[in-house]
Amino acid sequence: MATRYDAVLVLDFGGQYSHLIARRIREQGVYSEIVPHDIKSYEIKSFNEKLNLKGIILSGGPASIFDENAPRIDDGIMNLGVPILGICYGHQLLAHITGGKVERSNVGEYGATYVIIDKPVGVLKGLKGKVKVWMSHSDNVISLPCDYEIIAHTENSPFAAFMHKGKQIYGLQWHPEVSHTENGVKMLRNFLFEVCGCNANWKVENIVDSIIKEIRRDVGGDKAIIALSGGIDSSVATVLAAKAIGDRLTAVFVDHGFMRENESEFVRSVFQGFGINLVVVNAQDRFLKRLKGVVDPESKRKIIGEEFIRVFEEVAERTRAKCLIQGTIYPDRIESGFRRFSDKIKTHHNVAGLPTNIKFRKIVEPLRDLYKDEVRRVAEILGLPRELVYRQPFPGPGLAVRIIGEVTREKVEIVRKADKIVREEIERNGLGGRLWQYFAVLMDTKTTGVKGDARAYGYVVAVRIVESREAMTASFAKIPYEILEKISSRITNEIPEIVRVVYDVTHKPPATIEWE
Ligand code: XMP
């Protein structure tokens, strides 16, 4: 980054809302990054070479300060001289390390709670009376040293918000970053602009040129290669890299045969339009061969992932590329970097995180600091077609994980046709924009039906249509019956092998979005 943007660091204690804090800050035009809570103060100082550190936020988290190895912060952080805001666990930790007292309480506060504003200053500037906030805690701050004062309380939390009388240190027991907290954005803005004195000069628009320059610098005079999936992240990384190094870039699109209808043609037409060196590898037969007889979903994913890497490596070797460019985005990095405690539900074969045996001199990740919506903004700035920018997510292993049981050529054809019908009907009715995903899944059972005057015995297709914000949770979409009816009759009319269509009415959780 050429400009030194004002920035606020979020020290992550593992809270489910840590990401939201950084997001909300960036929405205000101030750059923010999430770092592990045990970051050392000297590391923070070196961070300051790139950015202009204006404040630190200690996030919430699942721990209690009474836990044996309760997470702490490096002692030097309190002496860095930048404003600090503790949220939830961060609030309790600040009280604990500055000589206050925290106790375990029998009466927790969960969900919407009313706080009374005692002193509308600093983070609480401009607020008064009762404010509805979102709480989620059982430990409670019950005393603070005399250089601190209470600025808000609730019935059960006498120190629901506090501040230091001389230094810029604040604690909030509630979560200003969640939308259920009334005036939560105002509280965060107060911290950014009143307390930290930030300049709102961070904008995605400003950084496109510097990303291109960075790629040019990192790749140097070498050749580079990128695995292009046709999804938004690798597409944006490809266009940026091509702008940076021109024909020294080779983009590789591996068609494993489980793509949606017209996918290779779509990718080819978009990227040839950008004058990009694109290699489309038709590897359909070798993937099908490797999947023969395989029914277990995790084995399918593993085999497809491995085979993908083999194909990619073969092309990489031929191009003599020294650099690998990847479309890794910020949440990918956070997930794999230091938040290792989430349970493995399924192996996501993610082209962006492609491991490889080939020794590259360098791995370049131009989108590593951006969130998805910021990547979309970059895509728009680069002139990528809307169809690509707002397309629904599609899993790396493709239609292979939308065929329950063994994958055969015949079944791929069936599910591809059904997928096309679902997409056409949803998009024709203008619903695409508000839905996260809409697709068809082919069952491995056959059932009886009647077509014409004859008995038919054929496959079942499940239609899955969901609404979601980040795919962590999802709800089945309550779309009009008439549209479902049209989808169902088109599928059974146009695909002779199908006699029955069912609609999946399960949320995530307990189901996942994909069926395998
Ligand atoms: P689940 O099925 O876990 O999916 O609820 C969450 C989101 O991830 C997509 N998905 C994948 N994406 N490789 C990917 O790149 C995969 O193997 C994969 N599996 C699921 C899914 O489509 C949904 O958007």
Side-chain angles (χ1 to χ4, degrees), residues 301 346-350 393 395-397 436-437 471 508 512-514:
R301 278 167 196 273
K346 53 178 90 161
T347 314
H348 278 206
H349 153 78
N350 190 350
W436 177 261
Q437 271 171 298
K508 172 183 181 177
T512 51
I513 295 176
E514 303 288 345

Side-chain angles (χ1 to χ4, degrees), residues 10 178 216 231 338 382 469:
V10 178
V178 306
R216 211 169 275 146
F338 51 91
L382 294 172
R469 290 188 68 182

Side-chain angles (χ1 to χ4, degrees), residues 116-128 151-152 161 170 172 174 186-187 190:
I116 316 283
I117 308 292
D118 298 306
K119 205 168 175 188
V121 294
V123 181
L124 302 185
K125 188 170 170 191
L127 300 172
K128 57 177 190 273
I151 53 175
Y170 291 85
L172 298 179
W174 64 87
K186 188 177 176 71
M187 295 167 195
N190 277 340

